[in-house]
Amino acid sequence: MKRRGLMKTAGAGSAAVAAHAVAAPAIAQEHPEVRWRLTSSFPKNLDIPTTVMDELAKRVGELTGGKFQIKWFAPGEVVPALQVIDAVQNGTVEGGYTAGYYYVGKDPAFSFATTLPFGMNTRQHNAWIIAGGGLDLINDFLKDYNCVYVPIAHTGAQMGGWFRREIKSLEDLKGLKFRIAGFAGQVLSRLGVVPQQIAGGDIYPALEKGTIDAAEWVGPYDDEKLGFAKVAKYYYYPGWWEGCTQTGLYLSLKEWEKLPSSYRTAIQAVASEQMNWVLAKYDSGSPGALRRLVASGAELRPFPREVMSAAYDIAFDLYDEIGAKNPKFKKIFESWKPFRDEQYLWFRVAENTFDNFVFSQQASKKR
């Protein structure tokens, strides 16, 4: 009996050892050591985009038991701020954090991942991306660039920027050298503006030296930190070219497909966490920042209606012109535009009616 028990135990032990020998390599294959380098378009002196990348590296490491390590680099440390997608394409880095509309020079369709002038607000854009087929369309387009897109941040509606002189009419736009990103530059150029695409970290010195006459970035929370009010006192709203702004991770499609599914899920989960946090951070921080900017001398101004109306017409003329020549742009636009129109119908009924009423009541009654 004892011998049989001993043999049974020994057999079980041998089986366990054998099973371990088989299982260990399998586990190692499922959870390989991976090291990625990511670059960013956004300067490190801005706490929100810096936190996004710090948290991405930290949380992905935690969720993968330290097996998937991400190291990220600020603009200029590996590549310049506006060459992120180029660096991903050519394999210099595995990915980057940037805004798609920085790359409209490659193809105007890059704008759809970020925003288009007179497009959707944050909730509407998010609905299109997540539930309206937008993300699939964008990623299909990005295959030609060896990229996959993972949204990671929303700023909400942006401000119209800082101007060294007042804009009272369309005439005041002529010859204006304006730092502005994306598709909006093409719209404004038809109004006589000279658009300049300048990386975030280079805006202040360009504005201070008079190399440019005006500049837009995000809104009060970041603009206060960047000190724009010191060199341009007129602060315009709204940023009609950015009713929302989504930024994201542009990752090497080749490297993405190599990842275990659990690692891809980790990136997507952390990106979703950060998207919620970023929007909350901007929404909570901008009111106080706006008050401080105005108290320090910034003069708040709305864009004249004639400027916005002219820009609106030009924007949609451009969309039609580009769509007639660019099938990739047209394919995405034919999803984006009807979705936008339906969202506007719904928001006019409920959201807009509610917002307008409570805003007017609070302003008139202070309660």
Side-chain angles (χ1 to χ4, degrees), residues 242-258:
E242 293 184 83
C244 78
T245 300
Q246 186 179 77
T247 54
L249 302 174
Y250 289 77
L251 308 173
S252 165
L253 178 60
K254 179 181 175 182
E255 297 302 322
W256 176 258
E257 290 178 340
K258 288 181 185 177

Side-chain angles (χ1 to χ4, degrees), residues 53-72:
M53 293 304 282
D54 285 344
E55 285 297 306
L56 176 71
K58 176 187 170 187
R59 294 280 291 125
V60 168
E62 290 172 347
L63 291 171
T64 59
K67 296 289 187 177
F68 187 4
Q69 295 293 316
I70 292 173
K71 183 175 182 180
W72 75 277

Side-chain angles (χ1 to χ4, degrees), residues 346-360:
W346 161 236
F347 273 67
R348 280 202 307 269
V349 170
E351 301 284 342
N352 188 58
T353 306
F354 173 79
D355 288 348
N356 284 342
F357 177 78
V358 295
F359 293 168
S360 64

Side-chain angles (χ1 to χ4, degrees), residues 8-297:
K8 186 176 179 181
T9 304
S14 298
V17 170
H20 179 73
V22 171
I27 291 171
Q29 288 176 357
E30 290 173 9
H31 301 93
E33 297 276 353
V34 177
R35 300 286 183 272
W36 270 19
R37 301 196 318 159
L38 269 61
T39 187
S40 174
S41 291
F42 308 112
K44 274 193 169 180
N45 63 332
L46 294 177
D47 63 310
I48 290 180
T50 296
T51 300
V52 166
M53 293 304 282
D54 285 344
E55 285 297 306
L56 176 71
K58 176 187 170 187
R59 294 280 291 125
V60 168
E62 290 172 347
L63 291 171
T64 59
K67 296 289 187 177
F68 187 4
Q69 295 293 316
I70 292 173
K71 183 175 182 180
W72 75 277
F73 298 87
E77 292 181 347
V78 176
V79 295
L82 302 181
Q83 293 180 21
V84 171
I85 285 179
D86 303 83
V88 177
Q89 271 189 279
N90 63 33
T92 302
V93 291
E94 283 77 25
Y97 175 31
T98 190
Y101 68 0
Y102 289 161
Y103 307 93
V104 293
K106 295 179 181 292
D107 194 305
F110 272 100
S111 283
F112 287 105
T114 308
T115 191
L116 271 76
F118 303 105
M120 293 181 263
N121 68 22
T122 299
R123 279 180 53 192
Q124 295 161 356
H125 178 85
N126 209 40
W128 177 65
I129 287 286
I130 294 172
L135 187 59
D136 289 339
L137 286 166
I138 289 165
N139 276 324
D140 184 58
F141 160 72
L142 287 172
K143 287 177 183 176
D144 289 344
Y145 298 88
N146 182 38
C147 285
V148 62
Y149 177 59
V150 179
I152 200 169
H154 273 299
T155 68
Q158 295 197 4
M159 291 290 282
W162 298 87
F163 292 72
R164 294 163 68 94
R165 64 174 189 265
E166 287 187 86
I167 304 299
K168 296 180 179 179
S169 68
L170 287 167
E171 191 66 27
D172 293 325
L173 293 175
K174 293 180 179 176
L176 186 84
K177 291 174 288 187
F178 186 17
R179 183 277 171 193
I180 188 163
F183 209 106
Q186 296 180 45
V187 175
L188 284 165
S189 67
R190 295 195 176 190
L191 293 173
V193 171
V194 182
Q196 312 282 314
Q197 182 150 292
I198 301 172
D202 299 325
I203 297 173
Y204 183 93
L207 200 53
E208 183 181 35
K209 293 173 185 175
T211 307
I212 55 176
D213 305 306
E216 57 82 40
W217 180 242
V218 174
Y221 185 87
D222 282 349
D223 292 357
E224 182 183 33
K225 290 178 171 58
L226 292 172
F228 296 145
K230 299 173 185 175
V231 288
K233 71 176 182 177
Y234 298 107
Y235 198 20
Y236 275 85
Y237 67 91
W240 45 262
W241 49 88
E242 293 184 83
C244 78
T245 300
Q246 186 179 77
T247 54
L249 302 174
Y250 289 77
L251 308 173
S252 165
L253 178 60
K254 179 181 175 182
E255 297 302 322
W256 176 258
E257 290 178 340
K258 288 181 185 177
L259 290 177
S261 61
S262 60
Y263 288 15
R264 294 196 296 268
T265 298
I267 289 177
Q268 291 166 329
V270 175
S272 182
E273 289 176 353
Q274 290 307 298
M275 194 150 55
N276 287 329
W277 177 81
V278 169
L279 186 59
K281 188 70 174 173
Y282 276 121
D283 282 346
S284 64
S286 286
L290 182 60
R291 286 184 180 278
R292 290 190 296 272
L293 287 166
V294 171
S296 70

